[in-house]
Amino acid sequence: MSNVPDFAALLRSAQRSAVHLEMRDAYAVGDEAEEIDRFARTGEIELDPEASWWPEWLGLVRETIDRGVVVRRARIVSEPVTDYIRWEHAVTPMNLAAGELVRWLPRSQASDIALPGNDFWLIDDRLVLFHFFTGYGDWAEPGFAFSEDPATVRLVSSAFETVWERGTPHDKYSV
């Protein structure tokens, strides 16, 4: 999340909850490229929490959860899933081990949900961080936007909670 200014500070500001909704079938952000390429070629995944960019992220998540904050992630995916989603599913045990809760929702079950146009993080039902990606899945300029607008917060909160209610916990979702 290099385009997000001081994301660690944002997550550290959470007091009760931090939720993340992902709605793309593929991302092409640089820090994952090598691992995804290897997975596409060999089917192998890296589940070492000390490898690559994982230590920083997992440490931040553990620190956040240790303060009593609930961290949930929901993913809306097309089926059959893309190779990227297959990789993401395979490495999700890392998120779970850090304490995140993760659910998956097939896109076909999201047709009647009012969804925002972009992925987001919602912190304590007060602050939304939207992420902007190119059509190819890399960061788009400006990369992000913040909103504390009450109507926007209500929209993203409602969208997330509906996806969460319908979603399948990671351990029960197969790709």
Side-chain angles (χ1 to χ4, degrees):
M1 293 186 217
S2 58
N3 289 13
V4 179
D6 208 9
F7 181 79
L10 177 67
L11 201 52
R12 285 182 178 118
S13 76
Q15 300 297 307
R16 297 177 320 281
S17 66
V19 302
H20 185 37
L21 182 61
E22 298 176 11
M23 298 182 284
R24 296 183 54 88
D25 287 318
Y27 296 84
V29 293
D31 55 358
E32 299 173 338
E34 189 176 310
E35 290 182 45
I36 293 166
D37 182 56
R38 185 179 77 174
F39 179 73
R41 286 183 290 103
T42 68
E44 296 174 9
I45 57 170
E46 177 61 72
L47 291 178
D48 178 0
E50 298 303 315
S52 187
W53 44 268
W54 282 108
E56 182 179 348
W57 174 250
L58 298 175
L60 180 59
V61 170
R62 280 189 204 102
E63 171 192 320
T64 302
I65 290 167
D66 286 350
R67 292 185 295 105
V69 176
V70 176
V71 179
R72 296 182 292 160
R73 179 185 304 260
R75 295 173 171 141
I76 298 175
V77 296
S78 298
E79 292 180 322
V81 300
T82 63
D83 288 341
Y84 180 90
I85 296 300
R86 233 182 305 291
W87 171 80
E88 198 170 49
H89 188 271
V91 298
T92 295
M94 301 283 280
N95 300 81
L96 300 172
E100 279 188 59
L101 305 172
V102 180
R103 291 191 181 177
W104 302 81
L105 182 67
R107 193 171 309 282
S108 63
Q109 296 176 27
S111 296
D112 62 344
I113 303 171
L115 296 167
N118 297 288
D119 290 9
F120 65 83
W121 277 92
L122 175 61
I123 306 297
D124 291 333
D125 287 317
R126 66 172 172 79
L127 176 65
V128 181
L129 168 65
F130 289 106
H131 289 172
F132 304 136
F133 296 95
T134 68
Y136 297 104
D138 203 352
W139 291 108
E141 290 298 325
F144 63 91
F146 292 100
S147 178
E148 292 181 279
D149 173 65
T152 302
V153 167
R154 279 192 303 276
L155 170 71
V156 301
S157 179
S158 174
F160 183 87
E161 293 305 328
T162 303
V163 170
W164 189 257
E165 288 170 16
R166 293 182 188 180
T168 302
H170 176 77
D171 62 340
K172 292 182 173 54
Y173 183 76
S174 300
V175 297

